[in-house]
């Protein structure tokens, strides 16, 4: 249809739909009917009742269309709600030049600034505005062309915002000078606009919403979008310019279809470049870091959807010529092909070639800081910690409001280039004395790491998990090693030198050393590493590992405490399934702690020893384990895997089918499976607190940054959640919203 209409306009020598002459319109009507019959197998219906029924049924069928399903998945809307059809009289904005159509917001949905905002077109229908197929005029121009309509619309905007106590999105038509309001709804907005409006509407105003209402209005996506980076510095050459429709900086490789966006996003960030977007592109928009369109206004599909998703977006960049089939676009004489890097600024509308450096925003300034202060007041004593393994991440976590570290994975510290040789030496050692020799070299490195974390978290707890993964993860891959052994006799001096560097050996030791290394790798091979020789099992087999880590923790704690900072170490023993395992490892930790603290005369330094609840047996025997544990931290990643018999990595291969068939209510690795895994969690909390009523309980899996999981943790009486540093504000908000919603469990549940 569109290509025929474009051809008709070209033939008529016009860019305006309204100026296509009558004879061409007659031709188009005939051609359109032929298209319909060719594709549907029957003529276009001529009876109005048949047309109406067909339109109604089409809306009902659209509920299960791919784009509708994708939208519901993204917005967490139930699939069994169904939709309705509203039938109303038609008004025509394309009757003449005294008619028009538009989309208007009662405030700027990009910035939150007060005042009418939107787009309109003269002699056009609503589809022309929202489809982004024509460049529109700002609503301020309405005052010049339709002054009476503008005055009436302004009064209606004020009335709507007062009634709904929120920013409203409207659609209107002007038919021969008369204003008709078609619909209104609470409008989509960017994260920055949402925060500004929430804060502004609490201040003395006609709207007067409460702080609780303001906090409840902000979503995960709103916060996520304001935490997006901005371009660093200035002076970059602007390559093309459009309308900034959704703020933030985005850098990625150019792609030209939604399908390519999904595929290429697996290998890195992408920018979706389209002439205009349609609802069919929603899956590509969802994975893109930013969106760029050649046509459209600030109320076009691309603009509205991008703002709702929190994606930087530029629309109406008329200077770029897009060849979607050829997978390229041009600006003047410069060609950008698929896969080339571009950078876009959704605030200013500027497009840059290549990768422009970015900087992170300040999460304490302006409306964000004020809003988060309110959120923290509502969540009360419910804590939000961060998963952080290095001081840099710990500092970022503090910046985003983390109240401690809920998980430090010590194994991540051993993979550094200067440490892996010592780690491998420890693993390859056959005798305890040789293992201790290698561990002695790792001790100062671990101590330095822990000291950095304690300093960053001055006054807040730091949960440090002892070594968890199987030892073979620190060694070369078996197959790669076999290949290198096979090619070793054929290598020259340079090749052998390179191989020696790869395996941290002397060139003269390779002939004997490589087969010995392969033998050790094969000895450590496990059929199911997830259920193998890892966690507390490593510490029980090789107690010197736990001893070294405990010594590093407490020596670092003493070192930082002597600087006048408050240090709260919490040592977490992983993969415990019985009281005996925890008792064994706790004895090593407390013995080493006493040695270090006695020596430094710092016996008043408070610390805890607890465990990670990540296998079903631990949850079912939590009352026994609580005899030894001073805190529980649910490792919900592994607890989900061991409870459901699902590998997180393998589940992704068939999760699409499960999602389509609605077998699970949500992805169990994204949101806690409350029906199954949740029963174990609740059982463990009840049993553990029955033995030790001051038991500190939290979670440290990736679920800690998922809003629905945070609400669940609040409701079942946990003390805190822990998540990645950049999810901390989202977890703080989710906890506040859980408190406001009156989650079932009171503060008394969190007795610690």
């Amino acid at each position: 249809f569109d290509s025929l209409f474009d051809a008709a306009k070209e033939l008529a020598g016009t860019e305006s739909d309204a100026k296509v002459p009558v004879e061409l319109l007659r031709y188009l009507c005939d051609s359109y009917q032929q298209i319909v019959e060719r594709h549907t197998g029957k003529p276009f219906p001529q009876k109005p009742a048949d047309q109406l029924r067909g339109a109604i049924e089409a809306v009902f069928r659209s509920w299960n269309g791919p784009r509708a399903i994708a939208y519901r998945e993204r917005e967490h809307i139930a699939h069994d709600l169904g939709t309705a059809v509203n039938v109303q009289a038609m008004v025509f904005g394309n009757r003449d030049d005294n008619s028009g159509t538009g989309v208007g917001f009662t405030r700027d949905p990009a910035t939150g600034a007060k005042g009418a905002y939107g787009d309109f077109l003269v002699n056009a229908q609503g589809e022309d505005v929202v489809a982004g197929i024509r460049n529109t005029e700002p609503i301020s121009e309405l005052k010049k062309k339709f002054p009476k309509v503008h005055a009436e619309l302004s009064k209606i905007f004020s009335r709507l915002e007062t009634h709904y106590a929120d920013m409203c999105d409207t659609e209107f038509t002007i038919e021969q000078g008369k204003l008709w309001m078609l619909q209104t709804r609470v409008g989509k907005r960017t994260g920055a606009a949402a925060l500004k409006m929430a804060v502004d509407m609490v201040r003395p105003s006609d709207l007067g919403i409460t702080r609780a209402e303001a906090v409840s209005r902000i979503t995960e996506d709103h916060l996520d979008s304001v935490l997006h980076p901005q371009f660093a510095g200035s002076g970059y050459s602007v390559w093309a310019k459009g309308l900034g429709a959704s703020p933030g900086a985005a850098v990625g490789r150019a792609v030209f279809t939604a399908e390519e966006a999904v595929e290429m996003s697996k290998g890195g960030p992408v920018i979706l470049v389209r002439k205009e977007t349609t609802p069919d592109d929603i899956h590509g928009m969802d994975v893109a870091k930013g969106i760029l369109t050649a046509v459209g206004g600030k109320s076009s599909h691309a603009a509205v959807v991008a703002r709702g998703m929190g994606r930087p977006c530029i629309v109406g960049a008329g200077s770029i010529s897009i060849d979607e089939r050829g997978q390229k676009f041009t600006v003047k004489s410069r060609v950008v092909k698929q896969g080339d890097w571009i950078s876009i600024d959704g605030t200013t509308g500027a497009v840059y070639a290549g990768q422009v450096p970015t900087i992170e925003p300040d999460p304490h300034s302006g409306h964000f800081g004020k809003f988060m202060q309110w959120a923290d007041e509502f969540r009360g004593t419910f804590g939000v910690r961060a998963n952080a393994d290095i001081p840099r991440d710990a500092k970022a976590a503090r910046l985003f409001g983390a109240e401690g570290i809920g998980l430090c994975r010590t194994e991540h510290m051993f993979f550094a280039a200067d440490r892996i040789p010592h780690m491998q030496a420890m693993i390859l050692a056959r005798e305890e004395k040789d293992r201790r020799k290698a561990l002695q070299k790792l001790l100062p490195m671990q101590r330095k790491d822990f000291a950095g974390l304690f300093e960053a978290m001055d006054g807040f707890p730091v949960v440090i998990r002892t070594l968890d993964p199987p030892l073979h993860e620190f060694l070369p891959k078996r197959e790669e090693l076999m290949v290198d052994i096979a090619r070793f006799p054929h290598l020259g001096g340079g090749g052998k030198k390179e191989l020696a560097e790869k395996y941290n050996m002397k060139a003269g030791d390779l002939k004997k050393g490589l087969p010995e290394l392969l033998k050790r790798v094969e000895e450590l091979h496990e059929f199911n590493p997830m259920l193998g020789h890892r966690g507390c099992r490593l510490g029980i087999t090789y107690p010197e590992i736990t001893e070294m880590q405990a010594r590093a923790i407490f020596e670092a704690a003493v070192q930082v405490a002597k600087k006048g900072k408050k240090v709260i170490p919490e040592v977490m023993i992983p993969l415990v399934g019985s009281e005996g395992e925890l008792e064994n490892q706790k004895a090593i930790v407390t013995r080493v702690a006493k040695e270090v603290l006695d020596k430094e005369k710092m016996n008043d330094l408070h610390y805890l020893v607890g465990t990670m609840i990540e296998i079903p047996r631990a949850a079912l025997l939590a009352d026994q384990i609580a005899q030894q544990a001073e805190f529980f931290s649910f490792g919900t990643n592994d607890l989900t895997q061991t409870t459901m018999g699902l590998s997180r990595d393998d589940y992704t291969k068939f999760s699409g089918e499960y999602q389509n068939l609605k077998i699970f209510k949500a992805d169990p690795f994204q949101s806690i499976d409350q029906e199954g895994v949740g029963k174990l969690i609740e059982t463990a909390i009840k049993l553990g607190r029955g033995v030790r009523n001051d038991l500190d309980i939290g979670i440290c899996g990736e679920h800690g940054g998922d809003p629905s999981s945070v609400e669940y943790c609040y409701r079942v009486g946990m003390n805190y959640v822990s998540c990645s540093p950049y999810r901390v504000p989202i977890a703080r908000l989710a906890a506040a919203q859980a408190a406001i919603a009156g989650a079932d469990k009171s503060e008394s549940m969190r007795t610690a």
Side-chain angles (χ1 to χ4, degrees), residues 445-683:
M445 300 174 183
Q446 285 258 280
R447 184 170 56 228
K448 183 181 178 182
D449 290 330
F450 296 145
L453 295 177
F454 289 138
E455 288 196 22
M457 286 293 156
D458 181 15
F460 289 115
V462 176
V463 177
I464 299 172
R465 183 178 71 185
T466 54
L467 192 64
D468 186 38
L471 293 179
H472 78 264
E473 289 191 7
F474 298 99
L475 296 177
K477 287 185 170 54
R478 175 175 173 269
E479 293 75 14
E480 187 178 337
L481 191 53
M482 291 172 71
V483 169
D484 286 337
I485 290 173
R487 69 189 185 95
F488 171 74
H490 310 289
L491 293 176
K496 289 181 179 178
K497 181 181 178 184
E498 186 180 328
L499 206 60
E501 290 175 356
K502 178 179 178 180
Y503 291 109
N504 299 300
M505 296 181 185
K506 294 178 181 178
D509 295 337
L510 285 171
K511 187 174 181 179
K512 181 181 178 183
L514 288 178
E516 288 181 353
L517 179 58
L518 176 61
K519 183 180 179 182
R520 186 62 173 146
V521 167
E522 288 178 331
E523 286 174 354
L524 292 171
H525 172 75
E526 295 181 313
F527 291 102
N528 190 335
M530 185 192 156
L531 303 178
H533 193 191
R534 52 170 284 217
C536 63
R537 302 157 192 171
L538 275 177
I540 290 170
T541 310
Y542 306 115
E544 54 271 19
I545 296 178
T546 304
E547 185 179 317
M548 181 278 287
Q549 291 196 294
R551 192 170 301 281
I553 291 169
F554 290 104
E555 287 180 355
V558 167
Q559 179 183 318
V560 175
K562 285 183 175 180
K563 295 179 180 179
K565 297 194 174 186
K566 187 175 181 181
V567 180
I568 309 173
E570 298 187 0
V571 183
M572 182 161 68
I573 309 301
L575 215 71
V576 163
S578 71
E579 181 185 358
E581 288 174 316
L582 181 56
E583 185 178 20
N584 174 284
Q585 292 294 282
K586 183 180 180 182
I588 296 172
V589 173
T590 53
R591 172 177 60 79
V592 173
K594 187 174 188 309
E595 289 174 10
V596 173
L597 299 180
D598 281 352
K599 179 182 177 183
E600 300 293 339
K601 296 182 172 53
M602 294 191 67
N603 298 89
D604 58 344
L605 191 146
H606 179 69
Y607 69 92
L608 299 177
V609 180
T611 189
M612 207 170 187
I613 304 291
E614 52 191 324
I615 57 176
R617 192 175 196 273
L620 295 171
L621 300 179
D623 51 344
Q624 296 178 23
I625 291 172
Q627 300 284 349
Q628 300 293 328
E630 295 168 297
F631 68 87
F632 283 171
S633 181
F634 289 96
T636 49
N637 296 343
D638 276 0
L639 186 59
T640 298
Q641 294 189 102
T642 53
T643 300
M644 302 184 76
L646 279 177
S647 161
R648 179 173 51 174
D649 298 321
D650 291 332
Y651 177 62
T652 58
K653 298 172 186 175
F654 56 90
S655 60
E657 287 78 6
Y658 268 55
Q659 185 173 313
N660 292 337
L661 295 170
K662 311 295 181 293
I663 289 175
F664 296 142
K665 288 183 178 178
D667 184 333
F669 295 106
Q670 306 237 345
S671 188
I672 289 175
D673 165 40
Q674 298 180 24
E675 294 178 333
V677 176
K679 285 186 179 178
L680 286 173
I681 290 173
E682 292 167 45
T683 297

Side-chain angles (χ1 to χ4, degrees), residues 20 140 204 238 258 347 366 441 510-511 552 587 616 696 742:
V20 175
S140 57
V238 176
T347 305
K441 292 179 180 177
L510 285 171
K511 187 174 181 179
D696 204 32

Side-chain angles (χ1 to χ4, degrees), residues 172-320:
F172 62 89
T173 291
I174 305 162
E175 185 180 62
Q176 295 184 311
K178 182 176 181 179
L179 174 65
W180 296 84
M181 299 304 295
L182 306 185
Q183 69 171 37
T184 190
R185 58 190 170 191
V186 171
K188 298 271 186 189
R189 63 208 65 187
T190 65
L195 288 168
K196 176 173 170 52
M197 284 189 268
V199 173
D200 286 351
M201 289 179 182
V202 170
R203 294 171 180 167
S205 69
D206 294 336
L207 305 181
I209 67 173
T210 65
R211 288 186 179 184
E213 289 172 317
V215 170
S216 298
R217 287 181 179 182
I218 302 301
T219 68
E220 167 190 1
D221 286 341
H222 288 148
L223 284 193
D224 200 28
S225 68
V226 299
L227 298 173
H228 283 180
Q230 303 295 320
F231 288 136
S234 58
Y236 304 105
S237 178
V238 176
W239 192 24
K241 193 88 163 135
L243 298 173
S246 184
V251 181
R253 296 182 184 275
V255 294
F256 295 90
T257 69
E259 289 70 27
E260 288 158 353
V262 171
E263 188 60 35
M264 286 186 62
S265 68
K266 297 173 184 176
V270 297
I271 305 289
L272 181 61
V273 183
R274 304 280 278 153
K275 183 179 180 183
E276 71 268 359
T277 63
T278 71
D280 293 323
D281 293 320
I282 195 163
H283 55 302
M285 299 173 78
D286 193 31
V287 299
K289 293 295 181 184
I291 297 149
L292 170 64
T293 69
V295 299
K298 292 187 178 181
S299 301
S300 64
H301 178 269
V304 172
V305 173
R307 282 198 294 269
M309 289 181 168
R311 302 286 188 275
C313 176
I314 297 173
V315 298
S319 62
I320 70 174

